[in-house]
Amino acid sequence: CVCVCVCVCVCTSVFLRCVFAAHAVTFEVKDGNSTCIKADLNTSFSITYNTTNGTSAARFALPSAAAVGNGSSCGGGAGVPPELLVSFGAGHALTLLFSSDGRLYRVASISLQYNLSDTSTFPQSSSTGLMKVMTNVTEISARLNSTYRCVSPSTVSLSPEVNLTFSDVHMEAYMSGANLSTDESVCSADQTVTTAAPTQSPRTSAAPSPVPPPAPQRGNYTLTNRNGTACLLALMGLQLNITHRSRALNQMVSEVVNLQPNRTTASGSCGVTVATLVLTEDLTNLTFTFTLNSTTQKFYLSAVNVSAFWPDMTDRFVEGNGSLNFLQCSVGRSYVCSAEQTLSIVPSFSINTFRLQLQPFNVTASRFSAVEECRADQENMLIPIIVGVALAGLVLIVLIAYLIGRKRTHAGYQTI
């Protein structure tokens, strides 16, 4: 059970929940005698729900009585990933689904099932029954054969109403032994960062101009439905341009970094009107959100979020913009742009795209549909045509002028 004490604020119709402090609980998933997942989780929950008199915020910790549920699995054949399902209280369950690219493993999704019929946790709830929320956007990743460690609190939003906070986490998936590895992958929040003293006065020092790297390699990123068919296709080379405070120079610099496809994992979700593509490379996490406008029958890139912690950064860089309108294309077609494009997300962050082709909706037979070219490609095709027509027109003008001149010359002589 979840132990809470409840006090009611009558004047605001909002219930204030007093909870005991969270503490780490250990979970272990086995396949026979072999351990594949081991996790020490210190988790607290914050859930806003409707009551008969207004709204209430239920805040509680993962209880020590929580146990590994029947849905837990080490994965295995047919591409089934490892899964940790933690059951607690009256029908509540927390699920962590893992994935790996052969070099890193990560928490690919987090979901929570909570029971509004549990009156001890959700008193005076106006609804009953089970609710389920999930997210595919997480920053929990580690090297294979290493333990993910994050003592610092980290909050994950599953929905506007539901938030989880992890702290003092020690966890490993795809384990090769029975105990957590002594080799640790430490989260960015736990990494101590030292700032180098500036070599010049801040008034006179100038940030060096960024030296752009060569064009990035083109990555092939695909999301599939549960039945294994592709639901989102993306071919593109990506370059991230971030302005941040340099640890070495102690001043703001612009750094341009290529996303490397061979080190990048793709995850996300496909919906009827919203699709999400999450690209993760080491400590860089890039999330694209695509939206389908059912009125205009066009899709577009509506939001981009980035979280990065590069070697020269003093702090983790986190930025995003949810009011974008890039890469518009008709539904049932794939958006193509061979030309380099710059997507300005916020003043301190932009993305350069190279040889881009994507289709986040209505993918059939796991193939791109007919293409719809970007304006830059159309203009690139139009310029040679205009130049050719202009040259042809010039040649025609010269020819006509020559013929007129020759006729006048011939008319100036008389036969003797």
Side-chain angles (χ1 to χ4, degrees):
C1 61
V2 180
C3 300
V4 300
C5 59
V6 182
C7 54
V8 181
C9 180
V10 178
C11 60
T12 60
S13 298
V14 176
F15 294 88
L16 304 178
R17 310 299 304 282
C18 308
V19 300
F20 294 113
H23 52 275
V25 186
T26 301
F27 305 99
E28 190 172 359
V29 179
K30 289 188 173 185
D31 184 5
N33 295 324
S34 300
T35 301
C36 61
I37 302 173
K38 196 167 188 178
D40 295 336
L41 298 180
N42 185 334
T43 312
S44 58
F45 305 84
S46 175
I47 302 176
T48 301
Y49 64 99
N50 295 324
T51 67
T52 53
N53 296 320
T55 59
S56 173
R59 297 183 177 91
F60 54 93
L62 189 67
S64 57
V68 175
N70 292 331
S72 299
S73 166
C74 287
V80 178
E83 181 175 352
L84 169 61
L85 187 149
V86 177
S87 300
F88 61 97
H92 313 303
L94 174 66
T95 303
L96 276 64
L97 191 67
F98 296 85
S99 65
S100 173
D101 62 357
R103 192 180 64 88
L104 300 172
Y105 69 88
R106 61 186 299 268
V107 175
S109 68
I110 300 175
S111 62
L112 176 67
Q113 174 184 284
Y114 57 97
N115 185 8
L116 291 176
S117 300
D118 179 6
T119 56
S120 63
T121 305
F122 304 101
Q124 299 187 22
S125 173
S126 59
S127 301
T128 58
L130 298 176
M131 305 291 291
K132 186 172 183 179
V133 289
M134 69 171 296
T135 181
N136 295 308
V137 181
T138 76
E139 297 179 3
I140 303 175
S141 65
R143 300 182 304 276
L144 279 176
N145 301 316
S146 74
T147 299
Y148 173 81
R149 188 200 80 189
C150 198
V151 178
S152 303
S154 174
T155 300
V156 179
S157 179
L158 303 186
S159 75
E161 297 79 22
V162 180
N163 292 287
L164 312 182
T165 299
F166 294 104
S167 60
D168 196 18
V169 175
H170 295 76
M171 177 170 58
E172 184 177 358
Y174 300 93
M175 296 176 65
S176 57
N179 299 316
L180 293 174
S181 173
T182 55
D183 180 22
E184 293 185 332
S185 293
V186 182
C187 69
S188 60
D190 285 2
Q191 296 179 17
T192 57
V193 180
T194 57
T195 303
T199 56
Q200 303 179 37
S201 168
R203 292 184 179 180
T204 59
S205 61
S209 300
V211 178
Q217 294 181 356
R218 197 184 195 197
N220 186 350
Y221 310 109
T222 302
L223 299 184
T224 57
N225 289 315
R226 292 183 178 179
N227 58 11
T229 59
C231 59
L232 184 150
L233 304 174
L235 290 170
M236 54 189 173
L238 296 176
Q239 231 174 42
L240 310 185
N241 192 330
I242 293 178
T243 300
H244 63 88
R245 179 165 292 278
S246 167
R247 182 173 58 174
L249 300 175
N250 194 29
Q251 62 183 358
M252 300 304 291
V253 299
S254 292
E255 190 171 358
V256 183
V257 172
N258 290 342
L259 204 66
Q260 302 180 52
N262 60 339
R263 297 174 56 183
T264 301
T265 59
S267 59
S269 61
C270 298
V272 177
T273 59
V274 177
T276 302
L277 174 63
V278 182
L279 301 179
T280 302
E281 181 199 325
D282 296 337
L283 295 179
T284 300
N285 186 286
L286 189 62
T287 303
F288 298 93
T289 301
F290 301 94
T291 299
L292 189 154
N293 187 323
S294 56
T295 302
T296 63
Q297 285 297 294
K298 288 183 177 293
F299 67 80
Y300 59 97
L301 177 63
S302 58
V304 173
N305 292 277
V306 64
S307 172
F309 194 71
W310 298 343
D312 192 39
M313 289 180 172
T314 56
D315 298 294
R316 173 173 283 275
F317 180 89
V318 179
E319 280 290 356
N321 189 337
S323 303
L324 303 176
N325 193 10
F326 295 140
L327 316 182
Q328 284 196 40
C329 182
S330 301
V331 175
R333 291 179 175 269
S334 62
Y335 178 89
V336 170
C337 199
S338 299
E340 178 183 350
Q341 291 187 106
T342 298
L343 309 180
S344 297
I345 311 303
V346 292
S348 58
F349 171 53
S350 63
I351 302 174
N352 300 328
T353 67
F354 298 78
R355 295 183 297 156
L356 170 66
Q357 183 173 11
L358 66 88
Q359 186 172 347
F361 300 102
N362 293 31
V363 176
T364 57
S366 298
R367 295 180 180 179
F368 284 109
S369 300
V371 303
E372 190 168 306
E373 293 182 326
C374 65
R375 179 175 298 179
D377 283 3
Q378 293 174 359
E379 291 175 351
N380 288 343
M381 289 294 295
L382 191 60
I383 289 174
I385 296 174
I386 294 174
V387 172
V389 171
L391 289 175
L394 183 60
V395 170
L396 182 61
I397 291 172
V398 172
L399 180 59
I400 292 173
Y402 169 75
L403 293 175
I404 293 174
R406 185 175 180 184
K407 182 177 181 180
R408 287 180 177 176
T409 302
H410 180 72
Y413 292 91
Q414 295 183 358
T415 304
I416 299 176

